[in-house]
């Protein structure tokens, strides 16, 4: 059912939140646009102008790795200055009072952690771009270290432990979904009584399967997104409005 207006949507959402004991939010790019992070997938977005570098190319070619890091540092200003928006803060408020056990996200921007979620309670399906990992041994490397290497040599770095390439800790095209995050997201979707999909067009699989799974397991489903999504028809409530406006009233102390 699509909410008639923002006011009635917020009111219905408030009732559903009050009645729920375990709420699982699932977030996509739309929650972070208020924080200045562009939606890479949107028409005219970064990815329509700059084809993403697939994982196998990154592994195979030094020039692909150099280009990947050049692009990442070109975006650094955007990521470094981003602060949690009203959507992030509302979810963090519900987390603090014990209504939300964890958040599932398609975003790589670290804003849920910045808003107050403990690191283990942010289930990142596409990884995190605010640090790096070795693709061989998995060792974590900080961006400052990568930047220093990049500027000194003009090339993407190799791991100090095993000499394999180092990549942002994100899931690239052609790379498999992180199994632990997938498992945790599945369990969360199966055991909540309210699932709220926020700012995702729900087209990217397998991530988009979670709202449907939650619904099948008996949860109520709310979808908050500016545009229609693939799963509006199965939702108990659809709020087709700005995310900051919709979730702003739920920002607590
Ligand atoms: Zn390594």
């Amino acid at each position: 059912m699509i909410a008639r207006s923002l006011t009635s949507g917020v009111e219905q959402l408030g009732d559903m939140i009050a009645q729920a004991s375990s709420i699982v939010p699932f977030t996509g790019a739309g929650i972070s646009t208020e924080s200045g992070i562009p939606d890479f997938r949107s028409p005219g977005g970064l990815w329509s102008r700059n084809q993403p570098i697939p994982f196998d190319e990154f592994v195979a070619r030094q020039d692909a790795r150099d280009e990947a890091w050049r692009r990442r540092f070109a975006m650094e200003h955007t990521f470094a200055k981003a602060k949690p928006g009203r959507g992030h803060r509302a979810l963090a408020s519900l987390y603090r009072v014990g209504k939300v056990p964890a958040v599932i996200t398609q975003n790589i921007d670290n804003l849920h952690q910045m808003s107050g979620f403990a690191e283990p309670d942010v289930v990142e399906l596409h990884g995190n771009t605010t640090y790096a990992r070795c693709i061989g041994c998995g060792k974590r490397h900080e961006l400052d270290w990568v930047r220093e290497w990049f500027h000194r040599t003009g090339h993407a770095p190799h791991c100090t432990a095993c000499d394999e390439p180092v990549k942002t800790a994100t899931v690239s095209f052609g790379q498999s979904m992180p199994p632990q995050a997938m498992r945790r997201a599945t369990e969360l979707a199966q055991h909540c009584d309210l699932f709220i999909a926020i700012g995702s067009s729900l087209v990217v699989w397998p991530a988009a399967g979670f709202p449907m799974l939650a619904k099948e397991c008996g949860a109520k489903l709310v979808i908050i997104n500016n545009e229609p999504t693939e799963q509006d028809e199965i939702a108990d409530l659809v709020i087709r409005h700005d995310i900051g406006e919709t979730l702003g009233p739920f920002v607590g102390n």
Side-chain angles (χ1 to χ4, degrees):
M1 188 187 71
I2 300 176
R4 290 189 317 275
S5 65
L6 177 61
T7 313
S8 94
V10 169
E11 197 178 299
Q12 289 175 76
L13 177 60
D15 290 343
M16 291 168 89
I17 288 173
Q19 282 159 21
S21 56
S22 178
I23 304 168
V24 171
F26 174 95
T27 63
I31 198 172
S32 292
T33 50
E34 186 174 79
S35 304
I37 310 268
D39 181 353
F40 301 117
R41 287 189 171 83
S42 69
L46 194 63
W47 285 357
S48 62
R49 289 177 281 132
N50 242 343
Q51 284 294 313
I53 295 166
F55 185 64
D56 56 351
E57 273 183 42
F58 185 93
V59 174
R61 295 177 16 220
Q62 179 74 44
D63 65 331
R65 295 193 286 278
D66 296 346
E67 172 63 11
W69 277 110
R70 192 196 60 74
R71 289 185 192 174
R72 175 61 186 81
F73 289 129
M75 288 293 297
E76 179 56 13
H77 184 63
T78 301
F79 282 114
K81 73 170 191 222
K83 299 267 184 310
R86 287 171 290 179
H88 300 102
R89 281 155 46 214
L91 299 182
S93 300
L94 295 171
Y95 171 71
R96 265 196 300 278
V97 299
K99 282 263 185 187
V100 165
V103 57
I104 307 170
T105 187
Q106 296 176 284
N107 299 338
I108 57 174
D109 53 32
N110 210 49
L111 289 176
H112 288 301
Q113 289 92 328
M114 279 177 71
S115 73
F117 277 83
E119 231 165 81
D121 294 330
V122 182
V123 181
E124 295 175 317
L125 299 174
H126 298 161
N128 189 310
T129 195
T130 63
Y131 60 94
R133 277 196 194 285
C134 166
I135 62 172
C137 70
K139 182 180 157 71
R140 175 174 169 147
H141 296 273
E142 302 307 322
L143 290 195
D144 285 345
W145 174 84
V146 177
R147 189 186 297 106
E148 197 278 324
W149 181 302
F150 191 72
H151 285 156
R152 182 163 43 82
T153 66
H155 293 292
H158 285 251
C159 179
T160 46
C162 74
D163 208 37
E164 291 291 314
V166 172
K167 191 172 89 58
T168 54
T170 50
V171 178
S172 298
F173 280 87
Q175 206 173 3
S176 57
M177 301 294 284
Q180 204 184 333
M182 288 296 289
R183 231 177 356 254
R184 179 95 193 277
T186 302
E187 283 166 15
L188 285 164
Q190 284 168 332
H191 296 118
C192 66
D193 54 8
L194 177 59
F195 191 98
I196 311 179
I198 303 161
S200 169
S201 48
L202 302 176
V203 289
V204 182
W205 289 82
F210 293 116
M212 203 177 279
L213 175 65
K215 183 77 186 158
E216 281 165 10
C217 292
K220 291 225 159 79
L221 174 62
V222 175
I223 295 176
I224 308 171
N225 200 44
N226 252 333
E227 306 285 323
T229 81
E230 296 275 308
Q231 295 180 34
D232 287 356
E233 277 181 18
I234 63 162
D236 297 278
L237 174 64
V238 176
I239 304 178
R240 213 169 274 170
H241 290 277
D242 178 76
I243 290 158
E245 298 279 305
T246 305
L247 290 178
F250 301 97
V251 176
N253 298 314

